[in-house]
């Protein structure tokens, strides 16, 4: 992978961060920077270099989709506890590519209309079009995370949902959507300090919600729910990646590396013209 | 305006570019850089400085909308002949702000379902939410531009649409949507050279459409249609701005300046907390 060969990666984050067979969330150190030998300053430099690469790959993917039927799409799913840095990923990683090729959806608490349908109904509508990088800021996984922790659905219904998610994602990947699922993993102490900063800075008050403390008090239950998510829905076609996120700079280059890997795997190509180039040059010259 | 006082603007683009009473498109030189004393390099530096300012204002606007009912929105409408640089505006001006606060819509040829409704039906659905910067890449103005030039509707229907647009936009501005309508104005020669470049570079072929030459041959009819648009729909609440765009760098800083003006006029403020900050600090500290 070009990004890594030119940079401070000593290992492949795709391998190191994947939640595979036997994965245990409790074993992940949120302070770690797996596979990366540099520090914050190196990370910032590498993020900029990776942004250029991501931009070029995204443009190729978008270009290909304008001409070639069945061009793939990429879907980045972001899940995390409050303040773990989803917004920073959107701003600093996704925000570096041309907005014309990005479709970003922030899923909030479901509306009454959404609740009157199956939990995947509102998700399906936002599956990215061919050639796009879709980003889900929260997702259908809320329905097996807060849904389980807060008992918003019965245990049988939660069980059903794991299977429904696997089937749904298989249908997407079969149709050419490359799914990259990321959990940003912070420690309870780190969350405390980030929430406290939001309380101490008037320009951050709007990001704070008293409900954040209520959720925080259910931390162990949330970790159990995430563990179950990884065991039940981390499939070879749509694996989960757990990204240590106490160091924001690391989380950003790691998610960027996962996106770069997905795009390099697609290997999009500038599409051939679907018109006669020389004839068009003559037509244009005559105007 | 901060942006201008620190930079190479000698005049106010908001005044210089507005299509007011007696405006004639034929009098605008697409090569000009009204109000700007610097060259391309200065423009690039100023664009970066303006991006920081735009990012800060956008974040304030978004923050305010999370707490304060009836926070305004901004809607940037982009219209132009092919290759005039709409994509570059989206990428380099809009692309500099946090994607979480932007809603971008590229309007294509209407679908049969859209054609079965009034021309504003599909537009209404994409009016930006409070706190967002909405961007229309093409818009309802297509229905009085190509609609008129290609006689896709009767002259009476085109007449009706001018009035409908003015009423529609008044309704939006009355509800707090600040509308910034921009026509990027290039010369026929500049377009020829940009289209030829797309034909000469295989990585640009996907951007070329043989129909572009057909539209190009109707240039005078399009200019007449734009002139009619300015006369009929450039209102005090929702004025048109005609931005000379042969110099891409100028078009970008000019559109950025128009957006900055709209946001400075809104003057968004960090919202006050809607909870007891000290009580929350104690609750959080106890966890």
């Amino acid at each position: 992978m070009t990004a890594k060969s030119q940079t401070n990666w000593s290992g492949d984050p795709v391998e190191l961060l994947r939640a595979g067979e036997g994965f245990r969330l409790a074993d992940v150190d949120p302070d770690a920077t797996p596979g990366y030998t540099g520090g914050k300053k190196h990370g910032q430099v590498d993020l900029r270099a990776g942004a250029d690469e991501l931009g070029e790959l995204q443009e190729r993917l978008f270009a290909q989709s304008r001409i070639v039927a069945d061009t793939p799409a990429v879907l980045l799913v972001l899940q995390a506890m409050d303040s773990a840095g989803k917004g920073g990923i959107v701003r600093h990683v996704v925000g570096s590519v041309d907005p014309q090729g990005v479709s970003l959806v922030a899923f909030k608490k479901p509306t009454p209309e959404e609740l009157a349908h199956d939990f995947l109904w509102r998700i399906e509508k936002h599956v990215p079009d061919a050639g796009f990088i879709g980003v889900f800021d929260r997702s259908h996984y809320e329905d097996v995370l807060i849904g389980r922790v807060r008992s918003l659905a019965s245990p049988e219904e939660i069980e059903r949902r794991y299977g429904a998610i696997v089937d749904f994602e298989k249908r997407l990947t079969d149709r050419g959507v490359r799914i990259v699922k990321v959990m940003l993993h912070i420690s309870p102490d780190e969350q405390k300090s980030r929430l406290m900063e939001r309380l101490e800075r008037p320009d951050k008050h709007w990001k704070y919600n008293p409900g954040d403390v209520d959720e925080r008090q259910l931390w162990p239950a949330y970790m159990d729910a995430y563990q179950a998510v990884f065991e039940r829905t981390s499939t070879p076609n749509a694996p989960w990646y757990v990204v240590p996120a106490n160091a924001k700079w690391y989380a950003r280059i790691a998610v960027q590396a996962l996106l770069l890997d997905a795009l390099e795997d697609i290997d999009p190509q500038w599409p051939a013209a679907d018109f006669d180039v020389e004839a068009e040059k003559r037509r244009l010259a005559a105007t």
Side-chain angles (χ1 to χ4, degrees), chain A:
Chain A
M1 193 203 276
T2 326
K4 279 174 293 177
S5 63
Q6 293 170 345
T7 62
N8 298 285
W9 287 103
S10 61
D12 187 348
V14 175
E15 298 302 325
L16 293 167
L17 303 176
R18 187 189 290 123
E21 194 74 23
F23 172 85
R24 281 171 42 87
L25 179 58
D27 294 340
V28 177
D29 175 4
D31 276 317
T33 58
Y36 197 75
T37 56
K40 182 173 181 176
K41 287 203 175 156
H42 300 99
Q44 289 167 337
V45 172
D46 285 344
L47 188 70
R48 276 195 292 280
D52 292 341
E53 207 174 344
L54 194 61
E56 154 106 20
L57 284 162
Q58 177 273 326
E59 192 183 352
R60 277 180 195 250
L61 180 69
F62 189 81
Q64 184 179 310
S65 75
R66 300 300 96 178
I67 309 289
V68 181
D70 297 332
T71 295
V74 173
L75 174 58
L76 174 67
V77 174
L78 293 173
Q79 287 289 157
M81 298 297 283
D82 288 317
S83 83
K86 288 188 285 91
I89 297 292
V90 171
R91 184 165 190 164
H92 297 285
V93 180
V94 178
S96 76
V97 310
D98 190 336
Q100 293 166 101
V102 172
S103 87
L104 168 66
V105 192
F107 288 99
K108 310 289 184 192
K109 196 176 154 185
T111 65
E113 187 190 18
E114 288 167 349
L115 287 172
H117 292 83
D118 180 56
F119 75 110
L120 292 171
W121 178 77
R122 66 173 184 161
I123 307 297
E124 182 88 45
K125 297 193 226 184
H126 294 288
V127 171
D129 290 349
F132 276 74
I133 298 178
V135 181
F136 286 177
D137 176 353
R138 306 188 187 275
S139 67
H140 42 300
Y141 285 98
E142 291 294 317
D143 298 287
V144 289
L145 289 165
I146 191 170
R148 173 176 151 143
V149 172
R150 292 280 185 187
S151 299
L152 304 178
S154 69
E156 297 72 29
E157 169 62 9
I158 299 290
E159 279 301 308
R160 183 192 73 83
R161 288 178 185 174
Y162 295 128
I165 287 173
V166 170
D167 291 346
F168 169 69
E169 293 182 351
K170 176 159 193 319
R171 176 158 58 83
L172 298 195
T173 57
D174 284 350
R175 277 283 295 165
V177 179
R178 175 79 189 237
I179 305 179
V180 180
K181 302 188 289 196
V182 169
M183 183 232 185
L184 299 174
H185 188 40
I186 56 171
S187 63
D189 282 353
E190 178 67 21
Q191 189 196 48
K192 189 173 191 171
S193 116
R194 292 185 188 181
L195 292 178
M196 198 57 87
E197 190 191 359
R198 290 182 181 178
L199 286 169
E200 277 160 1
R201 289 178 51 176
D203 64 335
K204 299 281 186 199
H205 284 169
W206 67 279
K207 291 190 174 185
Y208 182 88
N209 184 316
D212 297 347
V213 172
D214 302 327
E215 295 305 296
R216 172 174 168 73
Q217 287 168 329
L218 298 168
W219 195 281
Y222 271 105
M223 294 306 109
D224 288 349
Y226 272 107
Q227 178 68 36
V229 159
F230 302 141
E231 288 172 10
R232 301 296 298 275
T233 69
S234 196
T235 61
N237 275 350
W240 272 99
Y241 299 94
V242 175
V243 176
N246 276 5
K248 288 179 184 175
W249 63 265
Y250 174 78
R252 291 170 190 172
I253 54 171
V255 175
Q256 187 186 64
L258 296 173
L259 282 175
L260 282 169
D261 176 71
L263 280 155
E264 285 165 356
D265 197 55
I266 292 171
D267 192 23
Q269 301 296 324
W270 298 118
D274 57 354
F275 51 83
D276 180 334
V277 175
E278 294 308 316
E280 288 300 319
K281 283 186 190 170
R282 288 190 298 273
R283 267 184 84 215
L284 176 60
T287 63

